[in-house]
Amino acid sequence: MARDLSADIDRLTSQLADLRSALARQASASAEDASGYLAPRARQVARQFRHGGHDLTEVVRRNPGTTTSAIIGALALTAAFAFLLSKAGSDRN
């Protein structure tokens, strides 16, 4: 009987390890999918910001009080996006 319990525990331990591995692979694939989807869009937005930088500068000069909060919000969103991408990259390792 003790052997049966020991064999059951070994079998369950092995199944649990297999399940952990499968879940880790699935999480990694999901992170890669999200990164593959978001990264090109982030690059496109960055390009648009670079191209529109002059226009943005002019708007800020004309309306400094109004645009300050918008710029702070954009920086906060950029920081959050960078954090999510870094988490997705570190989850793959």
Side-chain angles (χ1 to χ4, degrees):
M1 181 150 178
R3 275 192 180 161
D4 291 339
L5 289 176
S6 179
D8 286 344
I9 290 172
D10 290 341
R11 183 178 46 80
L12 290 173
T13 302
S14 176
Q15 289 176 350
L16 182 58
D18 292 343
L19 181 60
R20 282 183 185 153
S21 295
L23 289 174
R25 283 190 304 273
Q26 184 178 5
S28 177
S30 295
E32 287 176 21
D33 290 345
S35 178
Y37 177 78
L38 293 174
R41 284 151 185 83
R43 284 192 290 274
Q44 182 181 11
V45 167
R47 269 188 246 115
Q48 289 173 351
F49 272 125
R50 274 186 296 225
H51 292 302
H54 179 70
D55 296 336
L56 182 61
T57 303
E58 288 300 316
V59 169
V60 170
R61 281 186 196 149
R62 289 185 208 146
N63 306 301
T66 307
T67 56
T68 302
S69 61
I71 291 172
I72 291 171
L75 290 173
L77 287 173
T78 302
F81 183 73
F83 175 75
L84 290 174
L85 285 180
S86 70
K87 289 291 286 177
S90 67
D91 288 344
R92 284 188 274 174
N93 295 332

